mmCIF file of all heavy atoms in Angstrom:
data_model
loop_
_atom_site.group_PDB
_atom_site.id
_atom_site.type_symbol
_atom_site.label_atom_id
_atom_site.label_comp_id
_atom_site.label_asym_id
_atom_site.label_seq_id
_atom_site.Cartn_x
_atom_site.Cartn_y
_atom_site.Cartn_z
ATOM 1 N N MET X 1 9.173 8.465 73.243
ATOM 2 C CA MET X 1 7.794 8.277 72.867
ATOM 3 C C MET X 1 6.915 8.795 74.003
ATOM 4 O O MET X 1 7.173 8.557 75.167
ATOM 5 C CB MET X 1 7.518 6.805 72.605
ATOM 6 C CG MET X 1 6.071 6.565 72.294
ATOM 7 S SD MET X 1 5.527 4.892 71.803
ATOM 8 C CE MET X 1 6.818 3.819 72.174
ATOM 9 N N LYS X 2 5.851 9.508 73.645
ATOM 10 C CA LYS X 2 4.917 10.023 74.640
ATOM 11 C C LYS X 2 3.907 8.953 75.024
ATOM 12 O O LYS X 2 3.478 8.162 74.197
ATOM 13 C CB LYS X 2 4.172 11.238 74.092
ATOM 14 C CG LYS X 2 5.027 12.463 73.944
ATOM 15 C CD LYS X 2 4.194 13.641 73.566
ATOM 16 C CE LYS X 2 5.049 14.893 73.523
ATOM 17 N NZ LYS X 2 4.244 16.069 73.282
ATOM 18 N N THR X 3 3.527 8.975 76.291
ATOM 19 C CA THR X 3 2.474 8.078 76.748
ATOM 20 C C THR X 3 1.138 8.786 76.616
ATOM 21 O O THR X 3 1.078 9.997 76.386
ATOM 22 C CB THR X 3 2.681 7.677 78.219
ATOM 23 O OG1 THR X 3 2.520 8.845 79.032
ATOM 24 C CG2 THR X 3 4.054 7.058 78.439
ATOM 25 N N ILE X 4 0.050 8.052 76.775
ATOM 26 C CA ILE X 4 -1.281 8.660 76.732
ATOM 27 C C ILE X 4 -1.402 9.730 77.801
ATOM 28 O O ILE X 4 -1.945 10.806 77.555
ATOM 29 C CB ILE X 4 -2.374 7.588 76.883
ATOM 30 C CG1 ILE X 4 -2.399 6.702 75.645
ATOM 31 C CG2 ILE X 4 -3.737 8.209 77.123
ATOM 32 C CD1 ILE X 4 -3.347 5.537 75.739
ATOM 33 N N SER X 5 -0.866 9.478 78.993
ATOM 34 C CA SER X 5 -0.923 10.464 80.073
ATOM 35 C C SER X 5 -0.172 11.737 79.704
ATOM 36 O O SER X 5 -0.611 12.835 80.035
ATOM 37 C CB SER X 5 -0.360 9.872 81.357
ATOM 38 O OG SER X 5 -1.163 8.830 81.821
ATOM 39 N N ASP X 6 0.953 11.621 79.005
ATOM 40 C CA ASP X 6 1.703 12.796 78.563
ATOM 41 C C ASP X 6 0.849 13.663 77.650
ATOM 42 O O ASP X 6 0.832 14.888 77.772
ATOM 43 C CB ASP X 6 2.975 12.395 77.808
ATOM 44 C CG ASP X 6 4.008 11.723 78.683
ATOM 45 O OD1 ASP X 6 4.017 11.970 79.902
ATOM 46 O OD2 ASP X 6 4.798 10.930 78.136
ATOM 47 N N VAL X 7 0.151 13.033 76.733
ATOM 48 C CA VAL X 7 -0.700 13.772 75.797
ATOM 49 C C VAL X 7 -1.821 14.471 76.541
ATOM 50 O O VAL X 7 -2.102 15.644 76.322
ATOM 51 C CB VAL X 7 -1.275 12.832 74.711
ATOM 52 C CG1 VAL X 7 -2.287 13.552 73.848
ATOM 53 C CG2 VAL X 7 -0.151 12.265 73.861
ATOM 54 N N VAL X 8 -2.466 13.755 77.460
ATOM 55 C CA VAL X 8 -3.599 14.322 78.187
ATOM 56 C C VAL X 8 -3.153 15.454 79.102
ATOM 57 O O VAL X 8 -3.848 16.450 79.237
ATOM 58 C CB VAL X 8 -4.330 13.224 78.993
ATOM 59 C CG1 VAL X 8 -5.363 13.801 79.923
ATOM 60 C CG2 VAL X 8 -4.977 12.234 78.035
ATOM 61 N N MET X 9 -2.003 15.320 79.721
ATOM 62 C CA MET X 9 -1.539 16.332 80.662
ATOM 63 C C MET X 9 -0.909 17.535 79.973
ATOM 64 O O MET X 9 -0.685 18.561 80.596
ATOM 65 C CB MET X 9 -0.537 15.717 81.649
ATOM 66 C CG MET X 9 -1.144 14.639 82.526
ATOM 67 S SD MET X 9 -2.683 15.117 83.363
ATOM 68 C CE MET X 9 -2.060 16.361 84.488
ATOM 69 N N SER X 10 -0.640 17.440 78.689
ATOM 70 C CA SER X 10 -0.053 18.573 77.974
ATOM 71 C C SER X 10 -1.105 19.666 77.800
ATOM 72 O O SER X 10 -2.290 19.455 77.989
ATOM 73 C CB SER X 10 0.486 18.128 76.615
ATOM 74 O OG SER X 10 -0.568 17.737 75.769
ATOM 75 N N ASP X 11 -0.651 20.828 77.430
ATOM 76 C CA ASP X 11 -1.544 21.964 77.236
ATOM 77 C C ASP X 11 -2.458 21.701 76.050
ATOM 78 O O ASP X 11 -1.991 21.474 74.937
ATOM 79 C CB ASP X 11 -0.726 23.229 76.996
ATOM 80 C CG ASP X 11 -1.585 24.462 76.821
ATOM 81 O OD1 ASP X 11 -2.755 24.436 77.239
ATOM 82 O OD2 ASP X 11 -1.082 25.444 76.277
ATOM 83 N N THR X 12 -3.756 21.706 76.279
ATOM 84 C CA THR X 12 -4.712 21.440 75.206
ATOM 85 C C THR X 12 -5.342 22.722 74.672
ATOM 86 O O THR X 12 -6.219 22.665 73.815
ATOM 87 C CB THR X 12 -5.823 20.495 75.696
ATOM 88 O OG1 THR X 12 -6.438 21.056 76.857
ATOM 89 C CG2 THR X 12 -5.261 19.119 76.030
ATOM 90 N N ALA X 13 -4.917 23.879 75.161
ATOM 91 C CA ALA X 13 -5.488 25.149 74.716
ATOM 92 C C ALA X 13 -5.272 25.323 73.219
ATOM 93 O O ALA X 13 -4.181 25.120 72.697
ATOM 94 C CB ALA X 13 -4.849 26.306 75.469
ATOM 95 N N GLY X 14 -6.325 25.673 72.541
ATOM 96 C CA GLY X 14 -6.241 25.947 71.114
ATOM 97 C C GLY X 14 -6.381 24.726 70.221
ATOM 98 O O GLY X 14 -6.481 24.860 69.013
ATOM 99 N N ARG X 15 -6.383 23.551 70.784
ATOM 100 C CA ARG X 15 -6.547 22.355 69.957
ATOM 101 C C ARG X 15 -8.022 22.145 69.665
ATOM 102 O O ARG X 15 -8.857 22.236 70.537
ATOM 103 C CB ARG X 15 -5.996 21.120 70.659
ATOM 104 C CG ARG X 15 -4.508 21.148 70.772
ATOM 105 C CD ARG X 15 -3.983 19.843 71.262
ATOM 106 N NE ARG X 15 -2.551 20.004 71.549
ATOM 107 C CZ ARG X 15 -1.839 19.129 72.170
ATOM 108 N NH1 ARG X 15 -2.393 18.011 72.590
ATOM 109 N NH2 ARG X 15 -0.572 19.332 72.399
ATOM 110 N N THR X 16 -8.287 21.859 68.421
ATOM 111 C CA THR X 16 -9.680 21.624 68.043
ATOM 112 C C THR X 16 -9.919 20.199 67.594
ATOM 113 O O THR X 16 -11.057 19.823 67.349
ATOM 114 C CB THR X 16 -10.102 22.577 66.910
ATOM 115 O OG1 THR X 16 -9.243 22.366 65.798
ATOM 116 C CG2 THR X 16 -10.023 24.028 67.356
ATOM 117 N N GLY X 17 -8.868 19.406 67.487
ATOM 118 C CA GLY X 17 -9.056 18.035 67.047
ATOM 119 C C GLY X 17 -7.836 17.192 67.315
ATOM 120 O O GLY X 17 -6.731 17.694 67.483
ATOM 121 N N LEU X 18 -8.083 15.911 67.353
ATOM 122 C CA LEU X 18 -7.018 14.942 67.550
ATOM 123 C C LEU X 18 -7.397 13.698 66.769
ATOM 124 O O LEU X 18 -8.524 13.206 66.884
ATOM 125 C CB LEU X 18 -6.885 14.601 69.038
ATOM 126 C CG LEU X 18 -5.872 13.541 69.406
ATOM 127 C CD1 LEU X 18 -4.448 14.058 69.166
ATOM 128 C CD2 LEU X 18 -6.038 13.153 70.866
ATOM 129 N N PHE X 19 -6.480 13.209 65.957
ATOM 130 C CA PHE X 19 -6.731 12.014 65.171
ATOM 131 C C PHE X 19 -5.854 10.882 65.680
ATOM 132 O O PHE X 19 -4.672 11.074 65.927
ATOM 133 C CB PHE X 19 -6.432 12.252 63.688
ATOM 134 C CG PHE X 19 -7.404 13.168 63.026
ATOM 135 C CD1 PHE X 19 -7.184 14.533 62.996
ATOM 136 C CD2 PHE X 19 -8.562 12.661 62.439
ATOM 137 C CE1 PHE X 19 -8.087 15.391 62.398
ATOM 138 C CE2 PHE X 19 -9.463 13.502 61.844
ATOM 139 C CZ PHE X 19 -9.225 14.869 61.823
ATOM 140 N N VAL X 20 -6.439 9.717 65.832
ATOM 141 C CA VAL X 20 -5.697 8.521 66.202
ATOM 142 C C VAL X 20 -5.617 7.660 64.951
ATOM 143 O O VAL X 20 -6.639 7.276 64.391
ATOM 144 C CB VAL X 20 -6.405 7.759 67.353
ATOM 145 C CG1 VAL X 20 -5.672 6.467 67.663
ATOM 146 C CG2 VAL X 20 -6.516 8.643 68.584
ATOM 147 N N THR X 21 -4.402 7.388 64.514
ATOM 148 C CA THR X 21 -4.214 6.579 63.310
ATOM 149 C C THR X 21 -3.334 5.382 63.628
ATOM 150 O O THR X 21 -2.620 5.359 64.624
ATOM 151 C CB THR X 21 -3.555 7.396 62.178
ATOM 152 O OG1 THR X 21 -2.249 7.776 62.582
ATOM 153 C CG2 THR X 21 -4.378 8.613 61.834
ATOM 154 N N GLY X 22 -3.389 4.392 62.772
ATOM 155 C CA GLY X 22 -2.573 3.202 62.945
ATOM 156 C C GLY X 22 -2.347 2.523 61.615
ATOM 157 O O GLY X 22 -2.952 2.882 60.607
ATOM 158 N N THR X 23 -1.492 1.531 61.612
ATOM 159 C CA THR X 23 -1.079 0.904 60.363
ATOM 160 C C THR X 23 -1.917 -0.291 59.950
ATOM 161 O O THR X 23 -1.785 -0.762 58.834
ATOM 162 C CB THR X 23 0.385 0.444 60.478
ATOM 163 O OG1 THR X 23 0.493 -0.455 61.590
ATOM 164 C CG2 THR X 23 1.308 1.625 60.684
ATOM 165 N N ASP X 24 -2.760 -0.806 60.836
ATOM 166 C CA ASP X 24 -3.503 -2.012 60.511
ATOM 167 C C ASP X 24 -4.695 -2.146 61.452
ATOM 168 O O ASP X 24 -4.815 -1.407 62.430
ATOM 169 C CB ASP X 24 -2.593 -3.235 60.654
ATOM 170 C CG ASP X 24 -3.054 -4.429 59.820
ATOM 171 O OD1 ASP X 24 -4.158 -4.368 59.237
ATOM 172 O OD2 ASP X 24 -2.304 -5.420 59.746
ATOM 173 N N THR X 25 -5.565 -3.078 61.160
ATOM 174 C CA THR X 25 -6.654 -3.367 62.078
ATOM 175 C C THR X 25 -6.101 -4.142 63.267
ATOM 176 O O THR X 25 -5.103 -4.846 63.151
ATOM 177 C CB THR X 25 -7.761 -4.195 61.393
ATOM 178 O OG1 THR X 25 -7.180 -5.402 60.907
ATOM 179 C CG2 THR X 25 -8.408 -3.433 60.251
ATOM 180 N N GLY X 26 -6.729 -3.961 64.406
ATOM 181 C CA GLY X 26 -6.331 -4.701 65.591
ATOM 182 C C GLY X 26 -5.075 -4.195 66.278
ATOM 183 O O GLY X 26 -4.479 -4.921 67.069
ATOM 184 N N VAL X 27 -4.649 -2.954 65.981
ATOM 185 C CA VAL X 27 -3.432 -2.434 66.609
ATOM 186 C C VAL X 27 -3.720 -1.574 67.838
ATOM 187 O O VAL X 27 -2.795 -1.116 68.488
ATOM 188 C CB VAL X 27 -2.555 -1.646 65.607
ATOM 189 C CG1 VAL X 27 -2.036 -2.558 64.523
ATOM 190 C CG2 VAL X 27 -3.299 -0.467 65.031
ATOM 191 N N GLY X 28 -5.004 -1.348 68.151
ATOM 192 C CA GLY X 28 -5.347 -0.637 69.377
ATOM 193 C C GLY X 28 -5.816 0.794 69.213
ATOM 194 O O GLY X 28 -5.881 1.536 70.188
ATOM 195 N N LYS X 29 -6.163 1.198 67.997
ATOM 196 C CA LYS X 29 -6.612 2.576 67.778
ATOM 197 C C LYS X 29 -7.851 2.914 68.595
ATOM 198 O O LYS X 29 -7.925 3.978 69.211
ATOM 199 C CB LYS X 29 -6.893 2.819 66.288
ATOM 200 C CG LYS X 29 -5.697 2.664 65.388
ATOM 201 C CD LYS X 29 -6.053 2.877 63.920
ATOM 202 C CE LYS X 29 -7.054 1.902 63.373
ATOM 203 N NZ LYS X 29 -6.554 0.537 63.164
ATOM 204 N N THR X 30 -8.829 2.011 68.615
ATOM 205 C CA THR X 30 -10.063 2.255 69.361
ATOM 206 C C THR X 30 -9.771 2.322 70.846
ATOM 207 O O THR X 30 -10.303 3.188 71.549
ATOM 208 C CB THR X 30 -11.106 1.165 69.052
ATOM 209 O OG1 THR X 30 -11.377 1.192 67.644
ATOM 210 C CG2 THR X 30 -12.389 1.398 69.821
ATOM 211 N N TRP X 31 -8.918 1.444 71.348
ATOM 212 C CA TRP X 31 -8.561 1.456 72.769
ATOM 213 C C TRP X 31 -7.884 2.773 73.141
ATOM 214 O O TRP X 31 -8.208 3.384 74.164
ATOM 215 C CB TRP X 31 -7.633 0.284 73.090
ATOM 216 C CG TRP X 31 -7.285 0.229 74.536
ATOM 217 C CD1 TRP X 31 -7.995 -0.381 75.524
ATOM 218 C CD2 TRP X 31 -6.156 0.832 75.166
ATOM 219 N NE1 TRP X 31 -7.370 -0.200 76.730
ATOM 220 C CE2 TRP X 31 -6.229 0.553 76.540
ATOM 221 C CE3 TRP X 31 -5.080 1.589 74.707
ATOM 222 C CZ2 TRP X 31 -5.287 0.991 77.453
ATOM 223 C CZ3 TRP X 31 -4.138 2.024 75.619
ATOM 224 C CH2 TRP X 31 -4.249 1.727 76.973
ATOM 225 N N VAL X 32 -6.945 3.236 72.315
ATOM 226 C CA VAL X 32 -6.252 4.496 72.575
ATOM 227 C C VAL X 32 -7.239 5.654 72.548
ATOM 228 O O VAL X 32 -7.233 6.518 73.433
ATOM 229 C CB VAL X 32 -5.105 4.724 71.557
ATOM 230 C CG1 VAL X 32 -4.576 6.146 71.627
ATOM 231 C CG2 VAL X 32 -3.996 3.720 71.790
ATOM 232 N N ALA X 33 -8.108 5.700 71.547
ATOM 233 C CA ALA X 33 -9.081 6.783 71.445
ATOM 234 C C ALA X 33 -10.036 6.789 72.634
ATOM 235 O O ALA X 33 -10.359 7.849 73.183
ATOM 236 C CB ALA X 33 -9.864 6.666 70.135
ATOM 237 N N ALA X 34 -10.490 5.620 73.058
ATOM 238 C CA ALA X 34 -11.398 5.543 74.213
ATOM 239 C C ALA X 34 -10.695 5.988 75.490
ATOM 240 O O ALA X 34 -11.279 6.700 76.318
ATOM 241 C CB ALA X 34 -11.921 4.117 74.363
ATOM 242 N N THR X 35 -9.441 5.590 75.657
ATOM 243 C CA THR X 35 -8.685 5.993 76.844
ATOM 244 C C THR X 35 -8.445 7.498 76.851
ATOM 245 O O THR X 35 -8.618 8.162 77.879
ATOM 246 C CB THR X 35 -7.349 5.233 76.907
ATOM 247 O OG1 THR X 35 -7.632 3.831 76.937
ATOM 248 C CG2 THR X 35 -6.552 5.613 78.138
ATOM 249 N N LEU X 36 -8.057 8.051 75.709
ATOM 250 C CA LEU X 36 -7.878 9.506 75.616
ATOM 251 C C LEU X 36 -9.184 10.242 75.930
ATOM 252 O O LEU X 36 -9.183 11.244 76.648
ATOM 253 C CB LEU X 36 -7.396 9.891 74.216
ATOM 254 C CG LEU X 36 -5.930 9.672 73.922
ATOM 255 C CD1 LEU X 36 -5.659 9.873 72.438
ATOM 256 C CD2 LEU X 36 -5.075 10.611 74.744
ATOM 257 N N THR X 37 -10.277 9.745 75.389
ATOM 258 C CA THR X 37 -11.579 10.363 75.643
ATOM 259 C C THR X 37 -11.878 10.387 77.136
ATOM 260 O O THR X 37 -12.244 11.429 77.696
ATOM 261 C CB THR X 37 -12.690 9.609 74.888
ATOM 262 O OG1 THR X 37 -12.427 9.700 73.488
ATOM 263 C CG2 THR X 37 -14.059 10.191 75.191
ATOM 264 N N ARG X 38 -11.702 9.246 77.784
ATOM 265 C CA ARG X 38 -11.989 9.162 79.225
ATOM 266 C C ARG X 38 -11.118 10.128 80.023
ATOM 267 O O ARG X 38 -11.605 10.864 80.886
ATOM 268 C CB ARG X 38 -11.768 7.735 79.718
ATOM 269 C CG ARG X 38 -12.034 7.571 81.208
ATOM 270 C CD ARG X 38 -11.875 6.133 81.665
ATOM 271 N NE ARG X 38 -10.673 5.467 81.189
ATOM 272 C CZ ARG X 38 -9.473 5.548 81.789
ATOM 273 N NH1 ARG X 38 -9.337 6.253 82.884
ATOM 274 N NH2 ARG X 38 -8.442 4.910 81.286
ATOM 275 N N LEU X 39 -9.821 10.174 79.725
ATOM 276 C CA LEU X 39 -8.908 11.039 80.464
ATOM 277 C C LEU X 39 -9.184 12.520 80.213
ATOM 278 O O LEU X 39 -9.103 13.336 81.138
ATOM 279 C CB LEU X 39 -7.466 10.685 80.121
ATOM 280 C CG LEU X 39 -7.008 9.298 80.586
ATOM 281 C CD1 LEU X 39 -5.640 8.965 80.005
ATOM 282 C CD2 LEU X 39 -6.995 9.205 82.094
ATOM 283 N N LEU X 40 -9.507 12.872 78.982
ATOM 284 C CA LEU X 40 -9.818 14.273 78.676
ATOM 285 C C LEU X 40 -11.121 14.719 79.333
ATOM 286 O O LEU X 40 -11.218 15.843 79.828
ATOM 287 C CB LEU X 40 -9.853 14.485 77.162
ATOM 288 C CG LEU X 40 -8.499 14.374 76.464
ATOM 289 C CD1 LEU X 40 -8.680 14.324 74.952
ATOM 290 C CD2 LEU X 40 -7.581 15.517 76.869
ATOM 291 N N VAL X 41 -12.116 13.854 79.359
ATOM 292 C CA VAL X 41 -13.374 14.167 80.039
ATOM 293 C C VAL X 41 -13.114 14.363 81.533
ATOM 294 O O VAL X 41 -13.678 15.270 82.161
ATOM 295 C CB VAL X 41 -14.440 13.072 79.780
ATOM 296 C CG1 VAL X 41 -15.619 13.204 80.719
ATOM 297 C CG2 VAL X 41 -14.896 13.131 78.334
ATOM 298 N N GLN X 42 -12.241 13.546 82.107
ATOM 299 C CA GLN X 42 -11.900 13.701 83.524
ATOM 300 C C GLN X 42 -11.247 15.043 83.801
ATOM 301 O O GLN X 42 -11.351 15.566 84.902
ATOM 302 C CB GLN X 42 -10.974 12.571 83.980
ATOM 303 C CG GLN X 42 -11.658 11.245 84.121
ATOM 304 C CD GLN X 42 -10.697 10.111 84.454
ATOM 305 O OE1 GLN X 42 -9.471 10.278 84.440
ATOM 306 N NE2 GLN X 42 -11.260 8.943 84.735
ATOM 307 N N ARG X 43 -10.596 15.615 82.805
ATOM 308 C CA ARG X 43 -10.001 16.963 82.945
ATOM 309 C C ARG X 43 -11.023 18.065 82.719
ATOM 310 O O ARG X 43 -10.702 19.233 82.788
ATOM 311 C CB ARG X 43 -8.866 17.148 81.944
ATOM 312 C CG ARG X 43 -7.619 16.385 82.317
ATOM 313 C CD ARG X 43 -6.457 16.773 81.464
ATOM 314 N NE ARG X 43 -6.019 18.130 81.783
ATOM 315 C CZ ARG X 43 -5.155 18.818 81.052
ATOM 316 N NH1 ARG X 43 -4.649 18.285 79.963
ATOM 317 N NH2 ARG X 43 -4.805 20.030 81.387
ATOM 318 N N GLY X 44 -12.262 17.693 82.426
ATOM 319 C CA GLY X 44 -13.318 18.682 82.254
ATOM 320 C C GLY X 44 -13.488 19.186 80.840
ATOM 321 O O GLY X 44 -14.190 20.169 80.612
ATOM 322 N N LEU X 45 -12.890 18.527 79.875
ATOM 323 C CA LEU X 45 -13.003 18.968 78.490
ATOM 324 C C LEU X 45 -14.212 18.329 77.812
ATOM 325 O O LEU X 45 -14.592 17.197 78.137
ATOM 326 C CB LEU X 45 -11.739 18.599 77.720
ATOM 327 C CG LEU X 45 -10.453 19.261 78.211
ATOM 328 C CD1 LEU X 45 -9.259 18.688 77.495
ATOM 329 C CD2 LEU X 45 -10.525 20.762 78.015
ATOM 330 N N LEU X 46 -14.791 19.054 76.886
ATOM 331 C CA LEU X 46 -15.875 18.527 76.071
ATOM 332 C C LEU X 46 -15.246 17.688 74.968
ATOM 333 O O LEU X 46 -14.435 18.180 74.185
ATOM 334 C CB LEU X 46 -16.695 19.662 75.457
ATOM 335 C CG LEU X 46 -17.773 19.252 74.464
ATOM 336 C CD1 LEU X 46 -18.827 18.389 75.156
ATOM 337 C CD2 LEU X 46 -18.411 20.475 73.851
ATOM 338 N N VAL X 47 -15.599 16.429 74.911
ATOM 339 C CA VAL X 47 -15.018 15.508 73.929
ATOM 340 C C VAL X 47 -16.145 14.909 73.110
ATOM 341 O O VAL X 47 -17.149 14.458 73.653
ATOM 342 C CB VAL X 47 -14.219 14.388 74.637
ATOM 343 C CG1 VAL X 47 -13.623 13.435 73.618
ATOM 344 C CG2 VAL X 47 -13.147 14.988 75.523
ATOM 345 N N ARG X 48 -15.983 14.927 71.801
ATOM 346 C CA ARG X 48 -16.967 14.351 70.885
ATOM 347 C C ARG X 48 -16.272 13.332 69.994
ATOM 348 O O ARG X 48 -15.883 13.634 68.871
ATOM 349 C CB ARG X 48 -17.602 15.445 70.039
ATOM 350 C CG ARG X 48 -18.384 16.438 70.849
ATOM 351 C CD ARG X 48 -18.983 17.474 69.964
ATOM 352 N NE ARG X 48 -19.661 18.472 70.784
ATOM 353 C CZ ARG X 48 -20.090 19.623 70.339
ATOM 354 N NH1 ARG X 48 -19.893 19.939 69.071
ATOM 355 N NH2 ARG X 48 -20.694 20.464 71.133
ATOM 356 N N PRO X 49 -16.118 12.111 70.473
ATOM 357 C CA PRO X 49 -15.415 11.115 69.672
ATOM 358 C C PRO X 49 -16.208 10.711 68.434
ATOM 359 O O PRO X 49 -17.441 10.626 68.478
ATOM 360 C CB PRO X 49 -15.230 9.939 70.627
ATOM 361 C CG PRO X 49 -16.264 10.126 71.671
ATOM 362 C CD PRO X 49 -16.546 11.593 71.758
ATOM 363 N N ARG X 50 -15.507 10.476 67.357
ATOM 364 C CA ARG X 50 -16.117 10.036 66.110
ATOM 365 C C ARG X 50 -15.255 8.956 65.501
ATOM 366 O O ARG X 50 -14.040 8.950 65.650
ATOM 367 C CB ARG X 50 -16.225 11.190 65.096
ATOM 368 C CG ARG X 50 -17.076 12.348 65.550
ATOM 369 C CD ARG X 50 -18.533 11.981 65.513
ATOM 370 N NE ARG X 50 -19.383 13.088 65.859
ATOM 371 C CZ ARG X 50 -19.809 13.355 67.083
ATOM 372 N NH1 ARG X 50 -19.450 12.604 68.079
ATOM 373 N NH2 ARG X 50 -20.608 14.367 67.325
ATOM 374 N N LYS X 51 -15.876 8.071 64.763
ATOM 375 C CA LYS X 51 -15.154 7.064 63.986
ATOM 376 C C LYS X 51 -15.676 7.190 62.559
ATOM 377 O O LYS X 51 -16.543 6.434 62.136
ATOM 378 C CB LYS X 51 -15.393 5.664 64.567
ATOM 379 C CG LYS X 51 -14.474 4.617 64.014
ATOM 380 C CD LYS X 51 -14.584 3.326 64.783
ATOM 381 C CE LYS X 51 -13.592 2.315 64.274
ATOM 382 N NZ LYS X 51 -13.652 1.071 65.050
ATOM 383 N N PRO X 52 -15.144 8.164 61.810
ATOM 384 C CA PRO X 52 -15.715 8.509 60.513
ATOM 385 C C PRO X 52 -15.482 7.473 59.410
ATOM 386 O O PRO X 52 -16.222 7.441 58.450
ATOM 387 C CB PRO X 52 -15.057 9.823 60.155
ATOM 388 C CG PRO X 52 -13.758 9.799 60.875
ATOM 389 C CD PRO X 52 -14.022 9.028 62.149
ATOM 390 N N VAL X 53 -14.469 6.659 59.534
ATOM 391 C CA VAL X 53 -14.172 5.671 58.494
ATOM 392 C C VAL X 53 -14.010 4.314 59.152
ATOM 393 O O VAL X 53 -13.291 4.171 60.131
ATOM 394 C CB VAL X 53 -12.861 6.031 57.750
ATOM 395 C CG1 VAL X 53 -12.544 4.988 56.716
ATOM 396 C CG2 VAL X 53 -12.959 7.413 57.121
ATOM 397 N N GLU X 54 -14.703 3.328 58.615
ATOM 398 C CA GLU X 54 -14.559 1.973 59.119
ATOM 399 C C GLU X 54 -13.993 1.102 58.012
ATOM 400 O O GLU X 54 -14.414 1.171 56.879
ATOM 401 C CB GLU X 54 -15.918 1.424 59.548
ATOM 402 C CG GLU X 54 -16.506 2.143 60.742
ATOM 403 C CD GLU X 54 -17.827 1.549 61.161
ATOM 404 O OE1 GLU X 54 -17.948 0.304 61.146
ATOM 405 O OE2 GLU X 54 -18.727 2.297 61.497
ATOM 406 N N SER X 55 -13.044 0.271 58.370
ATOM 407 C CA SER X 55 -12.449 -0.642 57.392
ATOM 408 C C SER X 55 -13.472 -1.628 56.880
ATOM 409 O O SER X 55 -14.275 -2.148 57.631
ATOM 410 C CB SER X 55 -11.284 -1.400 58.016
ATOM 411 O OG SER X 55 -10.294 -0.522 58.444
ATOM 412 N N GLY X 56 -13.459 -1.864 55.598
ATOM 413 C CA GLY X 56 -14.311 -2.889 55.011
ATOM 414 C C GLY X 56 -15.724 -2.462 54.693
ATOM 415 O O GLY X 56 -16.511 -3.263 54.202
ATOM 416 N N CYS X 57 -16.078 -1.218 54.937
ATOM 417 C CA CYS X 57 -17.433 -0.762 54.621
ATOM 418 C C CYS X 57 -17.548 -0.518 53.118
ATOM 419 O O CYS X 57 -16.652 0.043 52.502
ATOM 420 C CB CYS X 57 -17.776 0.516 55.369
ATOM 421 S SG CYS X 57 -18.055 0.248 57.109
ATOM 422 N N PRO X 58 -18.654 -0.923 52.527
ATOM 423 C CA PRO X 58 -18.828 -0.696 51.084
ATOM 424 C C PRO X 58 -19.075 0.784 50.784
ATOM 425 O O PRO X 58 -19.552 1.496 51.604
ATOM 426 C CB PRO X 58 -20.040 -1.546 50.703
ATOM 427 C CG PRO X 58 -20.755 -1.818 51.990
ATOM 428 C CD PRO X 58 -19.763 -1.683 53.082
#
């Protein structure tokens, strides 16, 4: 299994998006996405995080 650091340190050339998914609420998707965002910004990348779908919204 890859760690967050493995993903961030891998070659990001040519990637235009990254999706964080999970099986349920409260499993840490937001924490993982925020950590990835912080680490990628530290590498000098332009990051535009979005949360396009929220559970329970009408």
Side-chain angles (χ1 to χ4, degrees):
M1 176 175 13
K2 289 187 176 185
T3 66
I4 291 175
S5 294
D6 293 334
V7 173
V8 171
M9 296 309 293
S10 67
D11 181 20
T12 55
R15 291 189 189 169
T16 59
L18 176 69
F19 290 90
V20 176
T21 64
T23 58
D24 204 352
T25 58
V27 295
K29 298 178 298 288
T30 300
W31 182 87
V32 168
T35 301
L36 282 170
T37 298
R38 179 177 47 85
L39 294 171
L40 291 169
V41 167
Q42 287 175 352
R43 286 190 70 191
L45 297 173
L46 174 63
V47 180
R48 296 180 184 168
R50 299 287 184 268
K51 192 170 184 178
V53 178
E54 294 182 40
S55 300
C57 287

